Amino acid sequence: MIKQILKKVIKWLGEFFVEIFNIFRNFFKLRTTPGKKVSPFLVNLIFVSAILFYGIASSKRHEVNPKDKLVPTFGMMWTAVKSTVFIPKIEYKFNDSTGERMSYIGPETLRQAISQDIKDYKEGKYHSIFHPINSAMFFKGSTFFEEKRSILLRDGATRNMLNHGESKILKDSIVSGRIVLKAMGLILIGIFLGLYMGIFAYIEKLLYRFVLYFDKIPALAILPILFVILGTGEITKIALIVIGVAPTIILDTYLRVKTVHDEQIVTGLTLGASTPEIIYKIVFPQIFPEVLNTIRLNFKSVILFLLAAEGICANAGIGYRIFVAQRTTDMATIIPYVLLISLAAFFVDWAFRSWIKSYKWLNK
Amino acid sequence: MEKEYILTAKDLVQSYDGRTILNHLNFKIKEGEIVTVVGPTGCGKSTLLRLLLGSELPFSGEILMFGEEFKSPDKTRGIVFQKYSLYEFLDVKTNVMFGLDLGYFNLFQNILVSFAPFLLRKKNRLKLKEFQEEANQYLEKVGLAEHKDKYPFQLSGGQRQRVAIAQSAIPNPKILLMDEPLGALDVSTRESLQLFIKNLWQETGQTIIFVTHDLEEAVFLGTRLIVLSQYYKDGNGNGAKIVKDIAIPWAEPRSAEIKYSPEFSQIIKEIKQEGLDKNYLQSVEEFDLSHPDSII
Ligand SMILES: Nc1ncnc2c1ncn2[C@@H]1O[C@H](COP(=O)(O)OP(=O)(O)OP(=O)(O)O)[C@@H](O)[C@H]1O
Ligand SMILES: [Mg+2]
């Protein structure tokens, strides 16, 4: 038994060393694939070394100057992250009618709140979290179930604390996320515009030159005009993103339609397809994955325009927070936010890639 | 007079960029014929098919179907291209049944639904079953029943062409046009598909126009053979003409063995001697053009 395991380990190690040796032997070789065992190592190598390098550099700097703000240590970043994510800002509210201060009484940090909840739960102050009455938290004032005890998720210290405070990063993400979603929705319309341009020759004549020109306008240059016309609200930011990204999407979709072989459309006609069927059953399905890919690649521009607009005029949002932090060289805030955006963008990218991969006919 | 013929080409001329490709072609095709068209590469066979299909309009002359003109491809004429006939994003069975539930819009609906895709009707569930059954039957016929859930990229060249033929034949067009559908296939696959086309023709009695550059295939398949000449030599010329338009007097059904019979090679030899070989070698002017309407 042990012998077998030992054998396996030795075999694995042997293969591993061969693969490591192959890294050096095949590094510049064409038409080769790195081994399965060293691949994860190679994939993460630069990530890990960058983090290590940063950690060492920041701690060295802090040995010299403990007040250094430019290269915060991981500890400082962690505190900053906690102050944006984990420690809700406690707001003191006033009762509208009496003007009485409704101060928040309870634990100071989230950790304390959670441990208090756990303690109370164990002591039996709350219903079991598996009790159906937990759903009552969604229906305020529901009397369907008899409430013998309190409900943890509704009356617990954690919930109470969250109700009285706010998470900066959550608020910023929601504000920015809403803008991005709305802009993406409008950009979707651009896809159809490109589709019609590619299919109907007259729409092409009407729009092609115009969109081509529009695409060349640097969107940031007309941001001041947008502020004047549309005000400083959400709509200006959406407009900036749409103006910046939609022409690219329209033109790309148009070009994709143009690459559809005429034989495909002619075959459709001989099979009896009518115009909408040619559009939505023949042309659109075959360009759709490529259009998705274009959106994926342009998501970066979406973020860029979002940050630019929020940096100039906003009172919340990821871009706003970064630019505020920039004024005080608050690297410990900027870096977590940058990480958040890049992770979000990476996730969106991954989602799009798996969506595209789910089209089995693409043969990639 | 022309109403008796399923297709009539009158003084058909096509030219691109001022170069004449097809030079005054005249022919009449009766219902139920298999007309095979041969000619050297680049002589304009595909161009001729596009004209007959209606996807391209002639420079001059006219094409009539039962005495009537047409201006665009429609359901009465099916086509199998050498490439790009299949929809890569649909699996085999959906490709085959593609033509069964299409084209139910009038002009106004066409415009409306083009801009409002959510109005596009979903396939009728009950009918869908019928369609699937029909598609399955056809797939059985072309011998691809076990591949019906695959995507076209997972098929071999011969299998793809079989799917394409099934796809174009299933809505039952009056004429089936085929542009070198067996062009890229190996000898044995070719042979089996030739037999398949022959069987299909015998079952449905459809008119078939079959373009190929393989003379043996043309003689084996066709009830009638049209030979086009080279359209130019040394970069200039006056377009392809019909150098031969003959009936192929062979009993149906034909078996593959006749290809190896002495009579068969005799016919091939004669056609080659009379024109096709010179066709490749000599300029068009040297040809003694046989009468365009001569159907032996
Ligand atoms: N759209 C076009 N514009 C200009 N020239 C064209 C066009 N289509 C075809 N041609 C020319 O017309 C001639 C005939 O082309 P066609 O494709 O019909 O030949 P073909 O007989 O089908 O050849 P092959 O056997 O190689 O398929 C060629 O010389 C080609 O260069
Ligand atoms: Mg051709």
Side-chain angles (χ1 to χ4, degrees):
Chain A
M1 180 66 194
I2 289 173
K3 245 186 191 174
Q4 276 176 347
I5 291 174
L6 213 64
K7 251 185 196 170
K8 265 187 190 167
V9 169
I10 288 172
K11 198 181 153 214
W12 193 92
L13 278 177
E15 285 170 0
F16 184 66
F17 281 119
V18 169
E19 283 182 9
I20 287 184
F21 177 67
N22 279 342
I23 294 178
F24 298 104
R25 206 179 60 174
N26 294 345
F27 203 86
F28 291 108
K29 205 175 153 197
L30 302 178
R31 307 178 58 72
T32 171
T33 345
K36 275 205 176 102
K37 298 191 176 69
V38 290
S39 285
F41 169 72
L42 290 174
V43 167
N44 294 310
L45 180 66
I46 296 180
F47 277 114
V48 173
S49 15
I51 292 170
L52 273 182
F53 176 79
Y54 182 89
I56 293 168
S58 62
S59 63
K60 280 265 159 64
R61 270 183 81 114
H62 280 265
E63 276 170 22
V64 182
N65 172 15
K67 280 185 184 165
D68 181 60
K69 270 167 110 185
L70 280 182
V71 188
T73 56
F74 290 121
M76 289 164 72
M77 267 194 267
W78 181 239
T79 337
V81 168
K82 276 205 287 192
S83 77
T84 52
V85 186
F86 297 129
I87 304 177
K89 204 174 99 200
I90 293 154
E91 276 176 3
Y92 293 96
K93 291 182 179 169
F94 294 90
N95 190 324
D96 284 340
S97 48
T98 58
E100 191 186 330
R101 199 172 93 166
M102 305 177 355
S103 62
Y104 163 76
I105 310 153
E108 285 294 312
T109 68
L110 198 67
R111 187 182 288 184
Q112 287 169 12
I114 290 174
S115 55
Q116 188 187 325
D117 270 348
I118 292 173
K119 204 181 100 207
D120 289 347
Y121 185 73
K122 276 182 186 158
E123 283 172 4
K125 191 175 163 193
Y126 300 112
H127 277 288
S128 155
I129 49 168
F130 302 111
H131 193 280
I133 201 159
N134 278 284
S135 58
M137 67 184 249
F138 298 110
F139 312 103
K140 266 189 184 159
S142 151
T143 51
F144 187 73
F145 293 107
E146 204 185 342
E147 292 184 28
K148 282 181 184 155
R149 305 175 214 185
S150 307
I151 300 161
L152 176 67
L153 295 178
R154 192 185 64 189
D155 310 317
T158 314
R159 174 67 187 264
N160 191 20
M161 181 169 187
L162 288 175
N163 275 351
H164 280 84
E166 66 176 1
S167 159
K168 246 198 285 179
I169 210 158
L170 185 67
K171 190 179 159 198
D172 289 338
S173 304
I174 288 174
V175 168
S176 297
R178 189 180 290 146
I179 292 175
V180 169
L181 275 184
K182 285 181 182 171
M184 294 296 269
L186 287 173
I187 288 168
L188 277 187
I189 298 175
I191 295 177
F192 286 93
L193 220 57
L195 186 65
Y196 302 143
M197 257 169 68
I199 282 170
F200 298 111
Y202 284 93
I203 297 184
E204 177 184 358
K205 269 278 174 299
L206 272 175
L207 289 181
Y208 181 59
R209 188 73 57 82
F210 179 72
V211 177
L212 208 57
Y213 175 75
F214 212 79
D215 187 44
K216 304 297 171 289
I217 299 176
L220 283 178
I222 56 171
L223 187 56
I225 306 175
L226 291 179
F227 275 136
V228 171
I229 299 174
L230 299 173
T232 54
E234 191 182 46
I235 192 161
T236 310
K237 288 151 212 156
I238 295 172
L240 181 76
I241 296 173
V242 171
I243 290 170
V245 180
T248 320
I249 305 280
I250 294 174
L251 287 176
D252 193 82
T253 312
Y254 162 79
L255 289 177
R256 304 276 173 205
V257 175
K258 287 290 171 190
T259 60
V260 172
H261 295 286
D262 194 43
E263 283 93 334
Q264 298 258 301
I265 295 169
V266 171
T267 304
L269 287 173
T270 64
L271 294 176
S274 52
T275 311
E277 286 163 331
I278 298 275
I279 301 176
Y280 299 110
K281 288 189 177 174
I282 294 176
V283 176
F284 192 61
Q286 55 185 303
I287 63 166
F288 186 60
E290 284 164 340
V291 171
L292 280 183
N293 200 35
T294 310
I295 297 178
R296 178 178 82 86
L297 294 176
N298 277 291
F299 191 71
K300 197 171 169 174
S301 315
V302 171
I303 301 281
L304 218 59
F305 286 120
L306 172 79
L307 294 195
E310 281 185 343
I312 292 176
C313 184
N315 42 33
I318 291 175
Y320 163 77
R321 201 67 66 196
I322 288 178
F323 279 82
V324 166
Q326 179 197 5
R327 270 173 228 152
T328 53
T329 22
D330 182 6
M331 289 307 213
T333 302
I334 292 181
I335 291 174
Y337 267 81
V338 170
L339 283 179
L340 172 75
I341 303 173
S342 46
L343 280 177
F346 192 78
F347 174 75
V348 169
D349 192 79
W350 171 83
F352 269 98
R353 270 186 296 138
S354 6
W355 190 356
I356 294 167
K357 257 192 200 160
S358 72
Y359 290 98
K360 275 180 270 157
W361 56 271
L362 274 176
N363 186 21
K364 270 174 192 161
Chain B
M1 161 73 186
E2 280 124 10
K3 277 186 185 163
E4 296 163 24
Y5 294 95
I6 189 162
L7 274 182
T8 312
K10 280 199 213 161
D11 275 334
L12 202 58
V13 175
Q14 182 63 314
S15 64
Y16 296 118
D17 318 321
R19 284 195 316 176
T20 305
I21 307 292
L22 299 174
N23 189 356
H24 294 278
L25 306 189
N26 284 290
F27 54 83
K28 290 175 176 141
I29 293 170
K30 277 188 236 148
E31 245 182 300
E33 282 186 298
I34 300 189
V35 182
T36 46
V37 180
V38 286
T41 177
C43 72
K45 303 184 294 293
S46 301
T47 308
L48 177 62
L49 268 201
R50 285 200 295 273
L51 292 177
L52 296 181
L53 189 65
S55 68
E56 205 174 282
L57 296 180
F59 176 74
S60 72
E62 57 182 356
I63 306 169
L64 306 173
M65 187 173 184
F66 294 120
E68 277 173 41
E69 265 193 291
F70 50 83
K71 289 264 185 276
S72 77
D74 58 52
K75 233 181 155 169
T76 55
R77 298 178 301 282
I79 177 95
V80 181
F81 290 107
Q82 188 169 358
K83 262 180 167 184
Y84 310 127
S85 263
L86 292 183
Y87 298 117
E88 297 289 325
F89 55 93
L90 298 174
D91 58 14
V92 168
K93 61 175 183 304
T94 322
N95 256 300
V96 171
M97 60 185 224
F98 195 81
L100 289 179
D101 190 26
L102 291 173
Y104 38 77
F105 294 121
N106 62 29
L107 184 67
F108 171 72
Q109 287 169 331
N110 256 340
I111 298 169
L112 180 73
V113 181
S114 288
F115 297 104
F118 47 87
L119 292 177
L120 208 65
R121 202 184 67 186
K122 281 267 182 315
K123 278 206 167 81
N124 185 336
R125 289 244 164 233
L126 276 175
K127 275 192 173 171
L128 191 69
K129 277 242 169 81
E130 271 174 43
F131 296 153
Q132 273 167 349
E133 221 137 84
E134 210 174 330
N136 282 342
Q137 278 175 12
Y138 250 90
L139 282 168
E140 204 100 348
K141 262 193 225 169
V142 295
L144 289 174
E146 74 267 36
H147 298 290
K148 65 176 200 274
D149 293 320
K150 284 188 177 172
Y151 285 95
F153 79 89
Q154 295 166 311
L155 300 180
S156 74
Q159 290 166 336
R160 287 175 67 100
Q161 285 314 73
R162 274 186 273 175
V163 177
I165 292 168
Q167 183 196 51
S168 62
I170 208 168
N172 225 343
K174 294 216 165 64
I175 313 175
L176 209 49
L177 305 165
M178 301 190 180
D179 190 357
E180 301 190 36
L182 316 182
L185 308 180
D186 68 287
V187 181
S188 64
T189 321
R190 251 185 126 113
E191 217 148 69
S192 71
L193 279 189
Q194 285 166 4
L195 286 175
F196 167 69
I197 291 170
K198 217 56 210 204
N199 284 339
L200 185 78
W201 172 71
Q202 242 143 17
E203 263 176 45
T204 61
Q206 274 165 333
T207 315
I208 295 178
I209 301 182
F210 189 97
V211 164
T212 173
H213 53 241
D214 179 350
L215 188 56
E216 288 192 14
E217 182 172 274
V219 172
F220 173 71
L221 276 179
T223 59
R224 178 177 165 192
L225 173 72
I226 292 181
V227 181
L228 293 176
S229 63
Q230 184 97 305
Y231 93 99
Y232 71 95
K233 192 184 181 235
D234 303 330
N236 52 51
N238 51 8
K241 298 194 176 190
I242 294 178
V243 287
K244 231 176 183 335
D245 186 346
I246 55 169
I248 297 169
W250 227 297
E252 306 283 354
R254 298 173 191 174
S255 68
E257 276 94 67
I258 63 161
K259 280 194 188 171
Y260 308 106
S261 67
E263 292 99 323
F264 192 85
S265 35
Q266 186 60 31
I267 286 196
I268 303 270
K269 215 177 192 178
E270 274 170 27
I271 295 170
K272 277 188 177 168
Q273 274 170 0
E274 276 177 44
L276 197 64
D277 255 10
K278 288 188 219 155
N279 211 354
Y280 286 95
L281 302 169
Q282 297 174 5
S283 74
V284 194
E285 282 83 345
E286 285 174 50
F287 276 105
D288 177 24
L289 299 169
S290 58
H291 195 272
D293 260 5
S294 67
I295 301 170
I296 305 165

